[in-house]
Amino acid sequence: MERSYEKYFRQNRLPHLWCPGCGNGIAMKAIVQAIEKKGLSQDNTVIVSGIGCSSRASGYMDFDTLHTAHGRAIPFATGIKLANPDLNVVVITGDGDCTAIGGNHFIHGCRRNVDLTVVLFNNKIYGMTGGQASPMTPLGKKATTAPYGSIDRPFDACKLAIAAGATYVARSTAYHEQHLVDMIANGFDNKGFSFIEALVQCPTAYGRKNKMGSPANMLKWMRDNAVMQAAWEKLPDDKKQGEKFPIGLFYSATATDYTTAYDAVIERAGGAGK
Amino acid sequence: MKSDITIKMARCKGCGICVAFCPREVLALDELGKVKVVNGEACIACGQCELRCPDYAIFVDKLSDGGTAKEAAQ
Ligand SMILES: Cc1ncc(C[n+]2csc(CCOP(=O)(O)OP(=O)(O)O)c2C)c(N)n1
Ligand code: SF4
Ligand code: SF4
Ligand code: SF4
Ligand SMILES: [Mg+2]
């Protein structure tokens, strides 16, 4: 029986170009399942992506889509939201796209609390360009630009988003597919900047450099190391060592979103002649 | 048969994720490196293969007892 989420894909573009076992396909499915769960209409939802393997997702999704410039998905999305606040605007980005070249756009999108849902596909490396270290490559992990292991302390993009002012911040993984769907779907409910980090396996660049084995083994690594936030909070510090990391909802708050603030300015300035 | 397994062969990239996560060794990769059903009778329709396939290439529908694939699809 044909699955209902298939209608959200551009069928003539599949199969996608991602490598065998790449986690991007799982994260892309989670986004369309979240869209379906919340009943967002295809005509009223826009997908905006930057540049990278992850950002290729917009090309497979049957919505109005923009594949923009490296690191610049959030400013394009901000423009769309300001021009037509009624649209649901979803951003797909990578760890390099969002926290390296696009790092400033990211924190200022958070600061302004623009009503976007940003999903970061975190494979901890620049996949598309052959495996350079990104600002989210963990300490000691290898990349073509870090053959002895990275000595640059990585960003925790979720903590960065919270500190910068995002009003919904969560993390999940490709292994926890249904949980990822929920984290994204709940992000749609927030009127403000929603940020969801989705860990995805990149067997070709990150996995191979770091001897993580098959794509299935990379998924099992997520299963074995992710800890639900409620349990994580109860863990003593010495148990938070090693490769363990928390997933779940980290933060949510209510604050005036950018289009509401901007509407108030338009009002004070005498209206936009609508 | 407890289940009806549908494979969209053009989408399968032979990553082996479904094979690794199947609890009943229903699936294997063939000589061309694509998924194949080797023990369909053992399938318990748990959906692990479908859930984890990054290429949306495999789908499993549960069949009611004695039902055929067609009936289950209705
Ligand atoms: C202005 C600019 N600089 C550099 C590049 C080269 N480039 C393409 S993708 C990429 C990194 C992508 O990494 P990430 O966002 O993590 O995506 P992934 O491929 O890992 O999904 C870089 C540096 C570019 N396309 N444009
Ligand atoms: S290089 Fe990595 S991220 Fe890019 S498609 Fe291949 S597995 Fe996926
Ligand atoms: S998980 Fe999907 S793409 Fe990978 S071998 Fe199985 S059916 Fe093929
Ligand atoms: S549904 Fe479960 S038992 Fe059946 S083939 Fe898929 S993983 Fe194996
Ligand atoms: Mg990356």
Side-chain angles (χ1 to χ4, degrees), chain A residues 3 11 16 18 25 175, chain B residues 11 13 50 52 54-56:
Chain A
R3 298 299 182 245
Q11 293 296 328
H16 49 61
W18 294 314
Y175 176 81
Chain B
R11 290 185 181 179
K13 293 176 187 158
E50 174 173 343
R52 306 202 180 285
D55 283 271
Y56 335 124

Side-chain angles (χ1 to χ4, degrees), chain A residues 54 94-96 121-127 134:
Chain A
S54 38
D95 45 307
F121 291 17
N122 178 19
N123 57 11
K124 308 178 185 175
I125 205 155
Y126 292 0
S134 88

Side-chain angles (χ1 to χ4, degrees), chain A:
Chain A
M1 189 174 32
E2 190 78 350
R3 298 299 182 245
S4 53
Y5 61 77
E6 293 276 356
K7 66 177 174 288
Y8 299 106
F9 294 137
R10 291 175 180 153
Q11 293 296 328
N12 61 346
R13 299 291 170 87
L14 294 177
H16 49 61
L17 56 50
W18 294 314
C19 302
C22 175
N24 288 344
I26 300 173
M28 181 168 81
K29 183 169 95 174
I31 294 175
V32 298
Q33 287 182 311
I35 286 172
E36 184 168 44
K37 185 173 175 187
K38 288 294 172 183
L40 305 189
S41 96
Q42 245 159 317
D43 289 337
N44 218 42
T45 303
V46 182
I47 314 284
V48 187
S49 65
I51 296 293
C53 294
S54 38
S55 290
R56 295 295 297 251
S58 57
Y60 303 113
M61 301 172 74
D62 199 7
F63 299 85
D64 288 324
T65 61
L66 272 83
H67 192 189
T68 70
H70 198 20
R72 272 59 177 167
I74 289 170
F76 277 87
T78 302
I80 294 164
K81 192 70 194 180
L82 281 173
N84 187 353
D86 292 337
L87 294 174
N88 311 304
V89 185
V90 181
V91 172
I92 297 176
T93 180
D95 45 307
D97 195 65
C98 190
T99 68
I101 192 168
N104 246 309
H105 296 306
F106 174 45
I107 57 175
H108 292 285
C110 295
R111 178 172 73 91
R112 289 168 164 161
N113 198 29
V114 190
D115 184 18
L116 307 173
T117 303
V118 177
V119 185
L120 187 161
F121 291 17
N122 178 19
N123 57 11
K124 308 178 185 175
I125 205 155
Y126 292 0
M128 175 162 272
T129 45
Q132 296 82 0
S134 88
M136 295 181 72
T137 303
L139 272 181
K141 295 297 176 185
K142 290 182 178 164
T144 55
T145 49
Y148 297 99
S150 177
I151 58 165
D152 297 23
R153 295 161 68 213
F155 278 139
D156 178 329
C158 290
K159 287 183 177 165
L160 192 56
I162 294 168
T167 45
Y168 175 96
V169 179
R171 179 189 289 131
S172 190
T173 85
Y175 176 81
H176 302 82
E177 208 264 348
Q178 294 301 312
H179 178 256
L180 177 58
V181 172
D182 289 342
M183 292 297 104
I184 298 169
N186 294 342
F188 291 144
D189 287 340
N190 174 44
K191 192 167 166 58
F193 197 100
S194 300
F195 177 73
I196 300 98
E197 179 188 337
L199 252 85
V200 291
Q201 72 277 15
C202 165
T204 303
Y206 188 81
R208 193 152 57 179
K209 276 273 167 221
N210 291 290
K211 299 195 166 39
M212 293 189 71
S214 67
N217 278 349
M218 294 184 80
L219 284 170
K220 287 174 184 168
W221 180 92
M222 295 175 197
R223 176 193 67 194
D224 296 343
N225 288 291
V227 180
M228 288 293 170
Q229 174 65 3
W232 180 262
E233 280 173 338
K234 293 190 194 104
L235 277 185
D237 281 347
D238 62 313
K239 290 270 165 50
K240 291 181 182 170
Q241 306 288 322
E243 305 218 283
K244 294 258 189 276
F245 62 94
I247 60 171
L249 173 65
F250 298 140
Y251 184 74
S252 74
T254 308
T256 306
D257 76 290
Y258 198 59
T259 42
T260 302
Y262 201 72
D263 277 348
V265 171
I266 293 171
E267 195 64 39
R268 288 215 302 282
K274 278 184 190 164

Side-chain angles (χ1 to χ4, degrees), chain B residues 11-19 29 35 52-55 57-58:
Chain B
R11 290 185 181 179
C12 175
K13 293 176 187 158
C15 68
I17 288 176
C18 57
V19 178
L29 298 183
V35 69
R52 306 202 180 285
C53 174
D55 283 271
I58 186 164

